[in-house]
Amino acid sequence: MLRNYTQWSAPRPEDNELYTQFKYTKLKGFDYRNHDGTVSRRDPSKVIFANGKYYVWYTKRDTPTPPKGADASTDTIPSSDWDLCDIWYATSVDGFTWEEQGIAIPRPPKPNVGWRSVSTTDILEWKGKYYLYYQGFMEASGKRGDDCPVAVSYSDSPDGPWTPHNQIVIPNGAPGEWDQYSIHDPYPLVYKGKIYLYYKSDFDGDPQLVRMQGLAIADDPLGPFEKHPLNPVINSGHETTLFPFKEGIAALVIRDGNEHSTVQYAEDGVNFEIASITAMMPNAGGPFIPDAFTDTKYGRGITWGISHFTNATTWDKNHAVLTRFDCDLSLDLNDPVMKRTGLYQSPEVHYQQGLGKAQLKRIEEANRKLREQ
């Protein structure tokens, strides 16, 4: 009982400013070629508002076939959903209907960083300029292509044109360090007058990877970035989603790790602790954060953003789709419906999480052994 009144910001989750449900809405304006697997949109950036409209950037794959795996991949056939991709962008006046504007960051010529694929971008606005950070692949995913660093391009306008820096700005760690192999999901915020760029990495071997989140800090968008000595600063999570909240930084910790499905908070942007436990969190969430780049001293939180659903149909037509999520993680909103704890899901949703062939076979074998005793 004591923990209920000391560990949490309120004894009821309905009164916890960092607790929410998440609601999803299908977006209008994106064509997925009848979901045949040849077009994919995924890993959206934060949403920003400029020139009287919303902007979002994302990974787009437009290939002759769906992903075929590393062994079957070629210069035109993708190995994975994020292989052979460019970074595109779209705009919207309401956040629901979007108009695709075209390529923001194309794959650069070989051997520049990202010649194989550029993906998983995020946006920074700093001193009147715009910066897109992204993963730069020099090899197909599945052939250690995921062991890739972070690159950046910059522009005077969110509509471009974008100038590639053509240098690695967040390098992989040294041999033996926790982020030796991958630097994924770069996610910049302006905090304490500096650029705080959070990122995901994983270690402990393949396939039993342990995914965690790190932090690198710089005074200039092009670096040098200095990795924080307490890295990794979050011990769980997959795609990285954070936002200024009160004096510190809040994080959506999704999917992977012992502390998945939690919202966490660090008053100093570094030492994160669990603030709430929730469900159906947005994958690769890119929220609309009005104070993401204002160096706010008291962050107001978020109410909506763009995320993605992967494997939107079947694995032979593997592709991702963008979606909208809404929530109440804001000091300026009090939506009782978003704060409910009784999340209803229909029986069909539960049955979709049914047993697989291997599990059914195991149960059949256990039943057989019991009958033979």
Side-chain angles (χ1 to χ4, degrees), residues 302-337:
I302 62 172
T303 61
W304 71 279
I306 306 297
S307 61
H308 72 207
F309 295 128
T310 59
N311 189 25
T313 52
T314 58
W315 277 113
D316 63 323
K317 298 178 180 178
N318 182 22
H319 68 291
V321 299
L322 298 178
T323 186
R324 175 183 168 122
F325 71 88
D326 282 80
C327 61
D328 181 359
L329 293 170
S330 170
L331 300 176
D332 302 319
L333 178 67
N334 181 21
D335 188 335
V337 173

Side-chain angles (χ1 to χ4, degrees), residues 176-182 200-213 231-232 234-236:
E177 293 183 339
W178 80 284
D179 55 1
Q180 169 184 352
Y181 292 113
S182 61
K200 177 190 77 181
S201 189
D202 41 39
F203 57 101
D204 275 10
D206 188 10
Q208 305 302 325
L209 296 173
V210 178
R211 289 192 168 95
M212 298 189 181
Q213 316 294 319
N231 275 351
I234 301 176
N235 70 10
S236 299

Side-chain angles (χ1 to χ4, degrees), residues 244-264:
F245 193 79
K246 295 186 176 180
E247 296 90 350
I249 300 291
L252 304 186
V253 181
I254 69 166
R255 291 177 54 189
D256 295 329
N258 288 319
E259 296 179 2
H260 70 278
S261 299
T262 63
V263 180
Q264 301 200 13

Side-chain angles (χ1 to χ4, degrees), residues 116-313:
R116 175 73 192 188
S117 188
V118 288
S119 73
T120 320
T121 192
D122 202 25
I123 186 73
L124 167 71
E125 184 181 355
W126 177 266
K127 296 182 179 179
K129 291 184 179 292
Y130 298 87
Y131 299 83
L132 283 174
Y133 297 88
Y134 45 91
Q135 295 167 212
F137 290 76
M138 278 77 79
E139 195 172 4
S141 177
K143 297 182 177 180
R144 302 224 65 89
D146 294 297
D147 302 348
C148 58
V150 169
V152 64
S153 294
Y154 51 89
S155 176
D156 292 327
S157 165
D159 292 294
W162 297 89
T163 301
H165 187 46
N166 283 330
Q167 294 183 28
I168 294 171
V169 291
I170 308 291
N172 294 74
E177 293 183 339
W178 80 284
D179 55 1
Q180 169 184 352
Y181 292 113
S182 61
I183 306 288
H184 291 176
D185 302 284
Y187 192 97
L189 296 170
V190 177
Y191 183 59
K192 296 182 178 180
K194 297 181 181 292
I195 301 159
Y196 275 50
L197 194 150
Y198 296 87
Y199 63 93
K200 177 190 77 181
S201 189
D202 41 39
F203 57 101
D204 275 10
D206 188 10
Q208 305 302 325
L209 296 173
V210 178
R211 289 192 168 95
M212 298 189 181
Q213 316 294 319
L215 168 64
I217 303 173
D219 294 312
D220 187 277
L222 302 182
F225 280 87
E226 182 178 351
K227 295 180 181 180
H228 200 280
L230 292 183
N231 275 351
V233 296
I234 301 176
N235 70 10
S236 299
H238 199 83
E239 293 99 352
T240 308
T241 302
L242 304 98
F243 54 93
F245 193 79
K246 295 186 176 180
E247 296 90 350
I249 300 291
L252 304 186
V253 181
I254 69 166
R255 291 177 54 189
D256 295 329
N258 288 319
E259 296 179 2
H260 70 278
S261 299
T262 63
V263 180
Q264 301 200 13
Y265 178 70
E267 191 169 323
D268 59 358
V270 175
N271 291 280
F272 285 85
E273 296 183 356
I274 296 174
S276 74
I277 303 168
T278 186
M280 293 184 67
M281 301 182 78
N283 289 322
F288 173 56
I289 314 173
D291 52 11
F293 312 127
T294 64
D295 197 18
T296 177
K297 300 301 183 287
Y298 204 78
R300 306 308 298 175
I302 62 172
T303 61
W304 71 279
I306 306 297
S307 61
H308 72 207
F309 295 128
T310 59
N311 189 25
T313 52

